[in-house]
Amino acid sequence: MPNSDIEAHCGPTNLRLRCHLPLIVPSDCGIVVAGEAREWKEGELMVFDDAYEHYVFHKGTSERLILLFDIWHPDVEEGERAGIVDMFVAAKQQGWLK
């Protein structure tokens, strides 16, 4: 929403990369990742490691719309991915995760 921010935060691991696909980008909004500020450009994909501290600012007057999705970090190999997925399934079954 206009005139809003998302406070600085980090992802819990570096197993994934976060993708932002800007669909509607008003002026005076952007993201800062690891101290580096960037402005979104409509239709231009931005990919970053969300294990680094990042925050979003929106000082504009109209709504912004960003499609967010995650992909595996390219350094995580296929066999490791399967083990990680199994670990999270087991944690959910144990009630450790919601």
Side-chain angles (χ1 to χ4, degrees):
M1 297 304 292
N3 204 23
S4 64
D5 298 323
I6 298 175
E7 293 184 15
H9 60 284
C10 300
T13 71
N14 65 345
L15 298 173
R16 68 180 181 202
L17 297 179
R18 176 121 312 163
C19 303
H20 286 195
L21 179 60
L23 303 175
I24 300 173
V25 183
S27 60
D28 207 11
C29 68
I31 185 168
V32 177
V33 179
E36 189 173 324
R38 297 277 186 202
E39 290 185 12
W40 293 289
K41 295 181 180 151
E42 289 181 8
E44 188 174 305
L45 186 66
M46 180 184 296
V47 180
F48 63 96
D49 184 339
D50 82 334
Y52 291 101
E53 184 177 84
H54 56 285
Y55 64 91
V56 171
F57 61 92
H58 183 358
K59 306 302 180 204
T61 57
S62 60
E63 293 183 9
R64 71 176 171 88
L65 181 61
I66 311 287
L67 174 65
L68 303 175
F69 60 95
D70 297 328
I71 58 175
W72 284 103
H73 193 290
D75 291 340
V76 179
E77 296 178 4
E78 190 63 40
E80 293 172 315
R81 292 175 187 178
I84 292 164
V85 169
D86 290 345
M87 177 185 69
F88 279 101
V89 168
K92 284 184 178 183
Q93 290 172 343
Q94 294 293 321
W96 300 335
L97 296 174
K98 294 181 181 183

